[in-house]
């Protein structure tokens, strides 16, 4: 019995010992777990503190996206508001020596006065500045705009009397090609504003003496032998369509409404500062330059069109332009009255580049007036242009040009006098002309700067009165003697009316820059 009690006591002691040992192990594990949790809490608190500290620090605002960026390339094109805007321009100035060829002319048997012969000048030619832009409306359609202005680099801006081109301010903002419009890659462009007519632009690339005294506008597109190039001009208040190129074929059509309350076009068109056709310096009874002075070439609605074809080295055109109800002094059988008839022009032209680095240009043109009396018609004739550019080096060109104006069926019986003081009479006459030009052009390595040297000689028939520089050069030679100005004669001078039969010549050295 005693042994049993002793054994039981020992067993109980061992059991309590085991239980105590187990509890100690558990407490140790719990303590380790608590220590681990406490460490994790401390690490978490440290992280929270770091985040809070970062949140309390000021955060720099993200750099805003640039509102205007430059488009890669050589042009001054900027991306603006989802569209593009391009700034561009052309500067052309020259030092000339020109002669009107009228030294020794007579008026009533008395030599005319003034500086008739060679005279040096500095001329600002065909220079302009413009801004154009476009913005996509959808995947195919774009909205367009452009405004362009002539820049008088050498002359003081203002209306000039140095050509019979009226009173318009050519250096005013938007004086050149300016418009808004829509363009589709699939269907072409519709534009509204003012622009060089399709008839003019269709052969612009064939005019290798553009802007110089030998500019083909002295004869091509010039129906009357004046400084006005009636069928090589900019048409205001116009709407036009430009087709996309379809296998090299393009088509342009322009309509310029007459918008004139006068039945004979004798007033300025509504909204315009000049006679349509640019003849404000004409006029009867001393009213030159007035809104009712449009009496020699003002017209109503104009329609101009061109069809072009480009295939490799070949470029060909056919173009037509119509001026409705053109008024002309002297087109009636009664001297001094005004005839109103349509005038038109049609031309075809070809440009071809030969393997010899030679570019050949040929244009034949027919100008026509539906004259009342054939013997008084000095507008209807055929004209020809033959131009060539021979590339001497990659940066040097030699240019040649010849233009011919054929004789007309007649001429008015007033307004023109020959070199001997004889007045023109109605009927067929020798009033054609030939223009000869030669020129050298050098392109600098930037391809934006050029220099040129040209010589031009315009030989008028006995009753011809064409002028060098019409259509582009800043200072045309005109067919007036030295003391003659538009509207009269200087006091004490011996002048007379416009003269014919002169041989005008010019040497021109110029510098151009494009941007």
């Amino acid at each position: 019995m005693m042994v049993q009690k002793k054994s039981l006591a020992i067993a109980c002691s061992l059991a309590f010992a085991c239980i105590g040992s187990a509890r100690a192990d558990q407490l140790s594990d719990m303590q380790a777990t608590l220590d681990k949790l406490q460490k994790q809490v401390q690490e978490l608190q440290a992280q929270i503190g770091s985040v809070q500290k970062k949140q309390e620090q000021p955060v720099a605002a993200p750099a805003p996206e640039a509102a205007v960026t430059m488009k890669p390339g050589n042009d001054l094109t900027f991306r603006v508001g989802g569209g593009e805007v391009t700034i561009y321009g052309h500067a052309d100035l020259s030092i000339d020596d020109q002669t009107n060829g009228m030294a020794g002319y007579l008026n009533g048997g008395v030599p005319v006065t003034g500086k008739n012969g060679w005279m040096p000048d500095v001329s600002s030619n065909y220079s302009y500045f413009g801004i154009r832009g476009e913005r996509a409306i959808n995947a195919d359609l774009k909205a367009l705009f452009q405004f362009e202005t002539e820049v008088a680099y050498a002359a003081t801006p203002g209306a000039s009397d140095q050509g019979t081109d009226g009173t318009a301010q050519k250096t005013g903002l938007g004086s050149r090609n300016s418009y808004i419009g829509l363009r589709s890659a699939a269907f072409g462009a519709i534009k509204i504003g003012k622009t060089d007519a399709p008839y003019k632009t269709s052969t612009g690339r064939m005019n290798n003496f553009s802007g110089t005294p030998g500019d083909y506008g002295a004869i091509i597109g010039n129906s009357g032998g004046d400084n006005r190039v009636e069928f090589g001009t900019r048409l205001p208040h116009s709407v036009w369509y430009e087709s996309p190129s379809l296998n090299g074929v393009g088509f342009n059509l322009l309509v310029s409404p007459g918008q004139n309350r006068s039945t004979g076009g004798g007033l300025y068109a509504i909204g315009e500062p000049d006679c349509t056709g640019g003849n404000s310096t004409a006029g009867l009874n001393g009213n030159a330059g007035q809104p009712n002075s449009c009496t020699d070439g003002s017209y109503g609605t104009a329609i101009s069109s061109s069809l072009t074809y480009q295939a490799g080295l070949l470029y060909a055109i056919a173009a037509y332009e119509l001026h409705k109800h053109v008024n002309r002094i002297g087109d009636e059988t009664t001297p001094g009255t005004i005839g109103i008839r349509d005038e038109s022009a049609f031309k075809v032209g070809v440009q071809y580049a030969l393997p010899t680095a030679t570019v050949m240009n040929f244009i034949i043109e027919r100008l026509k007036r539906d004259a009342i009396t054939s013997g008084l018609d000095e507008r209807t004739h055929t004209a020809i242009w033959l131009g060539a550019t021979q590339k001497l080096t990659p940066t040097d060109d030699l240019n040649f040009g010849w233009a011919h104006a054929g004789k007309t069926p007649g001429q008015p019986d007033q307004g023109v006098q020959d070199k001997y003081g004889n007045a023109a009479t109605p009927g067929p006459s020798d009033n054609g002309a030939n223009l000869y030009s030669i020129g050298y052009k050098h392109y600098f390595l930037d391809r934006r700067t050029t220099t040129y040297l040209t010589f031009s000689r315009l030989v008028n028939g006995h009753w011809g009165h064409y002028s060098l520089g019409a259509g582009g050069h800043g200072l045309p030679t005109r067919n007036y003697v030295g003391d003659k100005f538009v509207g009269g004669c200087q006091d004490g001078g011996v002048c007379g009316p416009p003269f014919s039969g002169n041989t005008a010549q010019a040497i021109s050295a110029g510098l151009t820059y494009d941007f």
Side-chain angles (χ1 to χ4, degrees), residues 273-288:
D274 195 6
C275 298
T276 303
N279 66 334
S280 290
T281 51
L284 299 173
N285 303 320
N287 63 350

Side-chain angles (χ1 to χ4, degrees), residues 350-372:
V350 176
Q351 181 183 78
Y352 190 75
L354 300 171
T356 56
T358 307
V359 177
M360 300 296 298
N361 305 294
F362 174 74
I363 300 170
I364 184 167
E365 176 181 58
R366 182 66 175 172
L367 299 105
K368 187 176 187 303
R369 175 171 173 83
D370 297 330
I372 297 171

Side-chain angles (χ1 to χ4, degrees), residues 10-92:
I10 292 171
C12 290
S13 298
L14 290 171
F16 282 120
C18 288
I19 291 170
S21 177
R23 290 185 64 184
D25 291 341
Q26 289 177 348
L27 291 172
S28 177
D29 291 342
M30 290 176 63
Q31 185 63 47
T33 301
L34 289 172
D35 292 342
K36 187 177 180 180
L37 289 172
Q38 186 175 6
K39 185 177 180 181
Q40 291 177 348
V41 169
Q42 290 174 347
E43 291 176 352
L44 185 59
Q45 287 176 338
Q47 292 176 2
I48 292 173
S50 176
V51 171
Q52 288 177 340
K53 199 174 283 188
K54 287 182 179 179
Q55 289 178 343
E56 292 172 358
Q57 293 178 352
V59 179
E65 185 179 349
V68 179
T69 58
M70 177 74 79
K71 183 179 179 180
N74 295 326
D75 295 326
L76 290 172
T77 300
F78 303 88
R79 294 191 177 101
V80 182
E84 294 182 356
V85 173
T86 299
I87 300 172
Y88 65 94
H90 174 75
D92 181 345

Side-chain angles (χ1 to χ4, degrees), residues 26-375:
Q26 289 177 348
L27 291 172
S28 177
D29 291 342
M30 290 176 63
Q31 185 63 47
T33 301
L34 289 172
D35 292 342
K36 187 177 180 180
L37 289 172
Q38 186 175 6
K39 185 177 180 181
Q40 291 177 348
V41 169
Q42 290 174 347
E43 291 176 352
L44 185 59
Q45 287 176 338
Q47 292 176 2
I48 292 173
S50 176
V51 171
Q52 288 177 340
K53 199 174 283 188
K54 287 182 179 179
Q55 289 178 343
E56 292 172 358
Q57 293 178 352
V59 179
E65 185 179 349
V68 179
T69 58
M70 177 74 79
K71 183 179 179 180
N74 295 326
D75 295 326
L76 290 172
T77 300
F78 303 88
R79 294 191 177 101
V80 182
E84 294 182 356
V85 173
T86 299
I87 300 172
Y88 65 94
H90 174 75
D92 181 345
L93 285 93
S94 63
I95 301 172
D96 311 326
D97 199 8
Q98 299 191 66
T99 175
N100 60 6
M102 294 181 181
Y105 270 48
L106 301 175
N107 181 26
V110 180
V112 295
T113 56
K115 296 180 179 179
N116 300 300
W118 290 92
M119 182 179 70
D121 65 72
V122 175
S123 180
S124 176
N125 318 305
Y126 209 56
S127 300
Y128 54 85
F129 168 83
I131 298 176
R132 57 174 171 255
E134 62 180 39
R135 177 179 296 171
I137 296 175
N138 56 39
D140 181 58
L141 193 63
K142 290 184 177 180
L144 316 169
F145 84 92
Q146 174 177 299
F147 64 86
E148 190 175 283
T149 297
E150 182 173 325
V151 179
Y153 280 95
T156 303
S160 173
D161 71 345
Q162 296 307 305
T164 53
D165 50 6
T167 60
Q169 173 56 271
K170 296 193 293 183
T171 53
L173 187 63
S175 60
R176 287 175 51 86
N177 299 352
S178 303
Y179 58 81
I180 59 172
L182 298 171
R183 182 177 65 221
S184 162
F187 300 103
I190 292 286
K191 300 177 181 178
I192 183 170
K194 58 180 170 292
T195 188
D196 287 334
Y199 188 88
K200 175 184 179 180
T201 59
S202 64
T203 54
R205 60 189 283 178
M206 301 182 187
N207 186 8
N208 51 334
F209 286 88
S210 176
T212 72
D215 190 300
Y216 75 9
I219 287 179
I220 297 297
N222 191 329
S223 70
D226 300 316
N227 292 323
R228 284 176 280 157
V229 186
E230 291 89 342
F231 293 95
T233 187
R234 181 173 299 108
L235 292 175
H237 49 265
S238 297
V239 179
W240 65 98
Y241 168 73
E242 300 171 355
S243 79
S245 177
L246 182 61
N247 296 324
V249 177
F251 174 72
N252 291 347
L253 175 65
L254 176 147
V255 177
S256 175
Q259 58 191 56
N260 200 317
R261 296 295 186 187
S262 169
T263 55
L267 303 177
Y268 291 0
I270 297 173
E272 292 295 329
D274 195 6
C275 298
T276 303
N279 66 334
S280 290
T281 51
L284 299 173
N285 303 320
N287 63 350
Q290 300 301 313
N292 60 345
S293 65
C294 306
T295 57
D296 184 22
S298 183
Y299 53 86
T301 296
I303 301 171
S304 184
S305 62
S306 67
L307 183 67
T308 61
Y309 176 67
Q310 176 81 56
L313 303 178
L314 172 68
Y315 174 75
I317 72 96
Y320 174 78
E321 186 166 309
L322 172 66
H323 298 170
K324 298 289 292 181
H325 306 137
V326 187
N327 61 27
R328 296 286 182 191
I329 296 176
D331 190 44
E332 294 274 10
T333 55
T334 304
T337 58
I338 300 173
I340 300 173
R341 287 293 187 270
D342 293 348
E343 294 182 1
S344 62
F346 175 76
K347 64 182 173 181
V348 293
V350 176
Q351 181 183 78
Y352 190 75
L354 300 171
T356 56
T358 307
V359 177
M360 300 296 298
N361 305 294
F362 174 74
I363 300 170
I364 184 167
E365 176 181 58
R366 182 66 175 172
L367 299 105
K368 187 176 187 303
R369 175 171 173 83
D370 297 330
I372 297 171
T373 304
S374 177

